[in-house]
Amino acid sequence: MHKGRWFVPGLSFKLASALVFSVIVIAGGLGLTSTVFHERDLEHLLMETAERNADVVRRSARTAMLENDRVQLYRINHLLHGQGRNRPHGGQAG
């Protein structure tokens, strides 16, 4: 026996531990990569949704202007102005 050293039983233990370590590293790397890609997809989806919502508001305002519908324009303005109250710094954008 070896005094003062940690004795490793044999080659099978070394191979098994190397395999377990490799699986942990590969699974961690794949998990991290998956998280990064998922975050990018969510950001892309959020941007598309914001663009669609902005387009709906833009079209509604344009239609109200073409039809000279002041009530609808005031509603759109009130809706957009009311959303700013939930923002930090006194509701000011930017």
Side-chain angles (χ1 to χ4, degrees), residues 33-89:
T33 304
S34 174
T35 302
V36 168
F37 285 135
H38 187 63
E39 183 177 333
R40 286 182 187 171
D41 288 342
L42 287 176
E43 288 175 0
H44 182 70
L45 182 63
L46 179 67
M47 290 301 294
E48 285 181 351
T49 302
E51 288 173 3
R52 278 195 305 267
N53 289 343
D55 189 49
V56 167
V57 171
R58 191 177 310 120
R59 287 181 185 201
S60 298
R62 183 166 188 225
T63 302
M65 283 187 253
L66 289 173
E67 295 174 354
N68 200 19
D69 187 357
R70 290 177 184 235
V71 174
Q72 184 64 21
L73 280 173
Y74 286 132
R75 286 181 185 159
I76 293 170
N77 189 20
H78 181 68
L79 173 71
L80 294 177
H81 180 69
Q83 289 180 353
R85 292 184 186 150
N86 295 330
R87 292 185 186 153
H89 308 298

